[in-house]
Amino acid sequence: QVQLVESGGGLVQAGDSLRLSCAASGRTLSSYAMGWFRQAPGNEREFVADINWSTSSAHYADSVKGRFTISRDNAKNTVYLQMNSLKPEDTAVYYCAARRFYSDSYTSKGVYDYWGQGTQVTVSS
């Protein structure tokens, strides 16, 4: 069992930066691939980014590519999402997730085994 706790959300202005953290307990994160998703009111939860076990490969949604960076520190059992040049459309609850197995469908919520409770990010214009 893995418990995930996100932090770092808040209210910022357009163009600002935030760094989200996802701390894991229960199991070491080094055996899991990690992802970030987000959900805005009235919308489906959507893929933002993922990173594999060794950090040699990451994927990003087109909407955040070039602005967001996912990283992991296995020694601290923590995954990060650095968000730069934030836009009002980035406003959402951000969730981190962990999956045990390789999957080509890394953008799909269904392949992730564990989820955090989410952290709110609000970007004002």
Side-chain angles (χ1 to χ4, degrees):
Q1 192 76 8
V2 175
Q3 292 80 43
L4 304 173
V5 179
E6 302 95 334
S7 62
L11 172 62
V12 297
Q13 293 186 331
D16 285 351
S17 298
L18 276 177
R19 188 177 80 157
L20 306 183
S21 299
C22 173
S25 60
R27 292 278 180 90
T28 176
L29 277 188
S30 61
S31 59
Y32 293 83
M34 301 298 298
W36 284 96
F37 285 72
R38 65 186 182 186
Q39 188 168 16
N43 290 355
E44 293 287 321
R45 191 171 299 188
E46 65 176 8
F47 171 79
V48 175
D50 86 316
I51 188 166
N52 74 0
W53 295 262
S54 65
T55 77
S56 62
S57 177
H59 304 96
Y60 297 92
D62 288 342
S63 59
V64 307
K65 203 171 292 184
R67 300 188 297 123
F68 291 11
T69 303
I70 188 171
S71 62
R72 64 192 299 162
D73 186 335
N74 288 338
K76 295 183 178 180
N77 236 24
T78 300
V79 176
Y80 304 98
L81 185 68
Q82 177 66 44
M83 306 186 295
N84 298 330
S85 302
L86 282 161
K87 304 176 181 180
E89 51 263 44
D90 295 318
T91 296
V93 177
Y94 283 71
Y95 299 88
C96 72
R99 70 176 191 272
R100 292 168 291 174
F101 304 113
Y102 174 83
S103 175
D104 285 333
S105 301
Y106 50 82
T107 62
S108 171
K109 300 183 298 292
V111 303
Y112 291 84
D113 303 291
Y114 303 103
W115 292 85
Q117 84 291 345
T119 185
Q120 176 71 46
V121 172
T122 303
V123 185
S124 63
S125 57

